[in-house]
């Protein structure tokens, strides 16, 4: 902290009070070689030991890191290969040709698509203040179709030249250009600044891919100037003194601004964000949900929704980060939210390939609170992903002992038992559960089992009629299936939904009970047909089976 204050003082910056908490603006950063001079050295590094292409990427990263550290804005770093930006380009109907970079108009369109307030373009190259000679490098020609697209959308090919400078090598510069985005992807206020970077070549002392000290220092200075310029109203940490009024100038009158209802605004953004997410407009949804979090930083709900969006965008690292923040809000989360957050964290870590980290996390949570259903469910999910079904079954049983109301544990245990063919054990577990869990377990068991029984009945009958299996084998199979169908019908009858559920749930349950009885009767008729040989029994079995399929279909959409 002392070092930060020293830096601010040495640069002449001061700290302004902020009248009210405001949502942080979104800044979209473009690392680019397109500027007043477009150069990319390929063969010869500059005095800082970097090629221009590497310098540009590191400079953009340095600027983003400094902006994030100041906690004034939210940033996105443009990467044409990122799925997030590919979808944004597609939504904006922009097609970038390989070998080109987006010009200003396209950068504004991309920024508008993701909901950015400013686009910030980062240039970093050798100084252009001294004479230089350029030796052109052959650039691959665009195809006719690519050239037409590039010309139509205003895309410029990268101009690749190698620079050689007579005499002493010149210092590289870092330049920023910020453009405010107005409605319709129009350019608003502009801001530009540049600074020379210390060009000492740190050689082997600097790890590969790390940001040079001179570049970090230059990025810090330019970021402070940017925050004190266009973003002065948002800035908490640094303001350019040149922008402050002289001491003797009277202060302007205070304008009363109605206070923003942060909760209402966050709720609106959450609703709009989830609507976009349901229509697979993930990049735009993430922007709105990010803003909703800024309005309610101590609420778990917007962070939970943002985590879902990050997972849908296949950005598990950012999803895990938001989940961890939400889980720290212990007093602001409900048990249901903590359960979902924990599952989201498990999904995030597993998708990110960090199974070991996920295991350590859940073991730590269980060490702190052995009765935590959420943590144990997360650990169970990891065990299932690793194929350790026996260990997962133990965890489900432990959860059910401590938390008999856990639907997730009941249904998870039922699935494991059905997977190893233990239908009777699954039915026994359902019958011993509390009413609400019993109904949901019974529904899962029936839906997962009934169609399989009916399908095997049809297959066995066809095989018997084609003399592929004997009557004795068919009869034995039909007897076993009839017994299982009877158990399913009895289970459903004994596991009605609780009275408080919606009528549509009750209608669906009644349809399934009818379907279960039809399946049991169909298999019973088939069994009698095989015993006596009466044709009527075989016909009745087919009729009942068709009615079973009809009721199963109606149970999925119980309108009447």
């Amino acid at each position: 902290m002392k070092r930060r204050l020293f830096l601010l003082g040495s640069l002449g910056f001061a700290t302004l009070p902020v009248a009210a908490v405001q949502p942080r603006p979104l800044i979209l950063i473009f690392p680019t070689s397109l500027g007043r001079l477009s150069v990319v050295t390929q063969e010869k590094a500059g005095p800082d030991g970097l090629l221009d292409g590497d310098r540009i990427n590191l400079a953009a990263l340095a600027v983003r890191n400094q902006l994030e550290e100041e906690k004034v804005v939210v940033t996105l770093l443009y990467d044409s290969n990122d799925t997030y930006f590919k979808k944004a380009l597609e939504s904006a109907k922009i097609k970038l040709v390989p070998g080109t970079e987006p010009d200003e108009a396209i950068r504004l369109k991309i920024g508008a698509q993701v909901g950015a307030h400013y686009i910030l373009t980062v240039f970093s190259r050798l100084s252009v203040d001294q004479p230089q000679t350029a030796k052109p490098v052959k650039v691959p020609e665009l195809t006719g179709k690519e050239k037409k697209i590039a010309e139509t959308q205003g895309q410029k090919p990268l101009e690749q030249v190698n620079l050689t400078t007579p005499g002493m090598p010149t210092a590289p510069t870092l330049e920023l250009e910020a453009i405010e985005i107005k409605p319709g992807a129009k350019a608003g206020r502009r801001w530009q600044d540049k600074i020379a970077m210390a060009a000492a070549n740190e050689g082997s002392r600097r790890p590969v891919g790390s940001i040079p000290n001179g570049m970090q220092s230059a990025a810090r200075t330019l970021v402070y100037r940017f925050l004190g310029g266009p973003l002065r109203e948002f800035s908490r940490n640094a303001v350019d003194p040149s922008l402050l009024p002289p001491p003797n100038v009277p202060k302007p009158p205070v304008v009363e601004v109605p206070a923003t209802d942060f909760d209402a605004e966050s709720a609106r953004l959450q609703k709009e964000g989830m609507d976009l997410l349901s229509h697979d407009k993930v990049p735009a949804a993430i922007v709105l949900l990010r803003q909703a979090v800024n309005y309610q930083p101590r609420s778990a709900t917007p962070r939970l929704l943002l985590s879902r969006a990050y997972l849908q965008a296949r950005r598990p690292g950012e999803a895990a980060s938001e989940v961890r923040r939400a889980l720290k809000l212990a007093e602001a989360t409900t048990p249901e939210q903590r359960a979902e957050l924990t599952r989201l964290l498990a999904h995030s870590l597993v998708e990110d390939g960090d199974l070991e980290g996920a295991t350590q996390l859940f073991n730590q949570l269980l060490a702190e609170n052995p009765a935590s259903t959420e943590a144990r469910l997360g650990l169970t999910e990891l065990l299932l992903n690793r194929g350790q079904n026996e260990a997962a079954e133990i965890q489900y049983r432990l959860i059910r002992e401590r938390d008999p109301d856990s639907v997730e544990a009941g249904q998870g245990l039922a699935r494991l038992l059905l997977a190893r063919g233990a239908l009777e054990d699954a039915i026994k577990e359902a019958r011993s559960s509390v009413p609400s869990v019993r109904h949901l377990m019974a529904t899962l068991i029936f839906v997962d089992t009934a169609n399989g029984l009916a399908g095997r009945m049809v297959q066995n009958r066809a095989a018997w009629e084609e003399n592929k299996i004997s009557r004795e084998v068919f009869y034995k199979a039909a007897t076993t299936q009839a017994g299982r169908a009877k158990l399913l019908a009895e289970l459903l009858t004994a596991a009605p939904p609780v009275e408080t559920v919606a009528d549509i749930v009750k209608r669906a349950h009644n349809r399934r009970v009818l379907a279960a009885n039809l399946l049991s009767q169909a298999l019973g008729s088939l069994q009698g047909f095989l015993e006596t040989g009466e044709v009527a029994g075989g016909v009745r079995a087919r009729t009942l089976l068709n009615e079973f399929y009809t009721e199963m279909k109606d149970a999925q959409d119980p309108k009447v």
Side-chain angles (χ1 to χ4, degrees):
M1 178 60 72
K2 290 182 179 179
R3 183 170 181 269
R4 169 61 59 79
L5 293 174
F6 169 77
L7 285 171
L8 293 175
S10 66
L11 292 169
F13 296 157
T15 300
L16 286 183
V18 177
V21 178
Q22 304 182 62
R24 295 192 290 174
L26 177 66
I27 309 298
L28 178 56
I29 302 172
F30 285 89
T32 182
S33 61
L34 296 178
R36 290 181 292 278
L37 176 66
S38 183
V39 293
V40 177
T41 59
Q42 287 188 321
E43 298 176 356
K44 186 176 180 180
D48 55 359
L50 295 171
L51 298 176
D52 276 2
D54 295 332
R55 188 183 300 109
I56 290 166
N57 292 329
L58 288 176
L61 187 60
V63 170
R64 180 189 185 181
N65 290 348
Q66 190 61 40
L67 282 170
E68 289 289 338
E69 184 176 336
E70 298 307 316
K71 303 186 185 306
V72 176
V73 300
V74 179
T75 64
L76 283 175
L77 184 58
Y78 176 77
D79 180 355
S80 60
N81 295 317
D82 192 303
T83 304
Y84 175 79
F85 288 107
K86 286 181 179 178
K87 288 188 176 181
L89 288 167
E90 183 180 345
S91 299
K93 299 181 180 179
I94 298 171
K95 184 175 182 180
L96 281 179
V97 176
T100 66
E101 288 186 354
D103 63 5
E104 179 180 301
I106 293 180
R107 293 200 293 271
L108 284 168
K109 287 182 181 179
I110 298 172
Q113 182 64 34
V114 302
H117 296 78
Y118 278 86
I119 57 172
L120 186 64
T121 309
V122 179
F123 310 120
S124 183
R125 52 177 170 256
L126 298 180
S127 173
V128 296
D129 296 332
Q130 297 188 24
Q132 299 174 350
T133 60
K135 179 181 178 182
V137 176
K138 186 176 180 181
V139 179
E141 292 289 337
L142 299 179
T143 65
K145 182 178 180 181
E146 292 175 337
K147 186 175 182 180
K148 184 176 180 181
I149 294 174
E151 291 174 351
T152 301
Q153 299 200 4
Q155 300 168 24
K156 301 177 182 179
L158 299 180
E159 181 188 350
Q160 298 181 346
V161 298
N162 292 320
L163 292 180
T164 58
T165 304
M168 295 296 292
T170 58
T173 61
L174 177 61
E175 303 179 39
L176 300 185
E177 179 185 53
I179 305 176
E180 183 184 19
I181 302 178
K182 293 290 189 179
K186 302 296 184 183
R189 292 181 296 176
R190 292 176 180 269
W191 176 89
Q192 289 182 336
D193 205 344
K194 70 176 181 177
I195 190 171
M197 296 186 289
N201 192 337
E202 300 171 27
S204 60
R205 292 174 297 167
R206 182 173 62 83
V208 177
S210 63
I211 300 171
N213 293 331
M215 182 178 290
Q216 288 180 330
S217 177
R220 184 181 301 112
T221 300
L222 288 181
V223 164
Y224 287 162
R225 294 178 183 176
F226 174 49
L227 297 178
L231 297 183
R232 177 180 176 181
E233 60 184 296
F234 295 97
S235 182
R236 297 173 184 276
N237 297 321
V239 176
D240 189 333
S242 66
L243 298 171
L244 299 176
N248 298 328
V249 176
K251 294 183 179 180
V254 177
V255 179
E256 293 292 335
V257 179
T260 301
D261 187 339
F262 287 175
D263 291 345
E265 186 64 12
S266 179
R268 181 186 68 80
L269 291 167
Q270 290 173 47
K271 184 177 182 301
E272 293 180 6
M274 293 309 294
D275 183 61
L276 290 171
L277 206 60
S278 67
H279 291 85
D280 203 29
K281 297 180 179 179
V282 185
I286 287 175
V287 171
L288 293 185
L289 294 173
R290 179 77 265 172
Q291 293 174 8
V293 170
N294 292 341
Y295 275 113
Q296 289 184 309
R298 299 297 301 171
S299 173
T301 301
R303 291 191 186 277
L304 190 153
L305 300 180
L306 180 59
S307 302
R308 289 184 194 163
Y310 277 140
L311 269 181
Q312 192 165 330
R314 302 192 68 81
R315 296 162 65 179
E318 288 163 288
S321 178
E322 287 301 328
V323 170
R324 287 193 178 97
R325 291 190 181 101
L327 286 171
K328 290 180 181 178
L329 306 172
E331 297 179 358
T333 54
T334 64
E336 292 78 13
Q337 286 177 328
R338 292 188 68 81
E340 183 172 357
L341 285 166
T342 306
R343 288 195 298 274
L344 283 173
L345 183 56
H347 283 302
S348 301
L349 294 174
V350 170
E351 189 170 333
D352 210 23
D354 187 11
L355 299 183
E356 190 61 34
T359 303
Q360 292 177 3
L361 171 65
F362 290 122
N363 283 332
Q364 177 185 343
L365 291 173
L366 287 171
E368 296 171 356
N369 181 12
S372 171
T373 297
E374 298 83 14
R376 203 169 291 280
L377 283 171
L379 179 61
T380 305
E381 184 167 345
L382 286 175
L383 294 171
L384 291 172
N385 274 278
R386 290 175 168 175
Q388 298 175 352
N389 292 355
E390 292 183 4
E393 183 177 329
I394 292 173
Q395 294 299 324
Y396 279 139
R397 293 186 183 279
L398 287 173
I399 294 171
R400 281 167 61 78
E401 287 178 7
R402 297 175 183 271
D403 185 5
D405 292 322
S406 174
V407 174
E408 293 88 348
Q411 291 185 321
L413 179 59
R415 287 192 187 94
L416 284 178
L417 293 172
L418 292 177
R420 58 183 174 88
L423 174 62
E424 293 184 7
D425 289 343
I427 291 175
K428 182 179 178 182
E429 289 290 340
R431 284 182 173 277
S432 65
S433 300
V434 297
S436 58
V437 178
R438 181 190 309 141
H439 166 69
L440 293 172
M441 287 182 69
T443 301
L444 181 146
I445 292 169
F446 175 70
V447 170
D448 282 9
T449 307
N451 283 323
L453 290 177
R456 283 192 292 276
M457 169 184 168
V458 173
Q459 292 173 357
N460 289 343
R461 184 163 186 169
W464 173 67
E465 290 174 349
E466 296 171 5
N467 294 321
K468 293 181 179 178
I469 60 174
S470 66
R471 178 185 291 269
E472 290 74 16
V473 171
F474 186 19
Y475 177 77
K476 184 177 180 180
T479 301
T480 301
Q481 291 163 5
R484 291 177 177 174
K486 183 179 179 182
L487 288 175
L488 290 176
E490 292 173 349
L491 173 64
L492 279 181
T493 302
V498 294
E499 287 298 323
T500 55
V501 301
D503 288 341
I504 192 171
V505 177
K506 296 177 182 177
R507 289 196 295 271
H509 175 74
N510 292 336
R511 294 282 193 187
R512 292 190 184 99
V513 170
L514 178 56
N517 284 300
L518 288 169
L519 179 60
S520 179
Q521 293 172 31
L523 285 165
S525 295
L526 181 62
Q527 188 180 7
F529 164 64
L530 292 173
E531 287 175 348
T532 64
E534 293 183 3
V535 176
V539 173
R540 186 168 182 270
R542 290 185 190 276
T543 302
L544 291 170
L545 190 61
N546 289 333
E547 293 178 2
F548 157 78
Y549 282 122
T550 299
E551 291 300 326
M552 287 292 284
K553 182 178 179 181
D554 290 344
Q556 294 178 355
D557 187 19
K559 295 179 181 178
V560 294

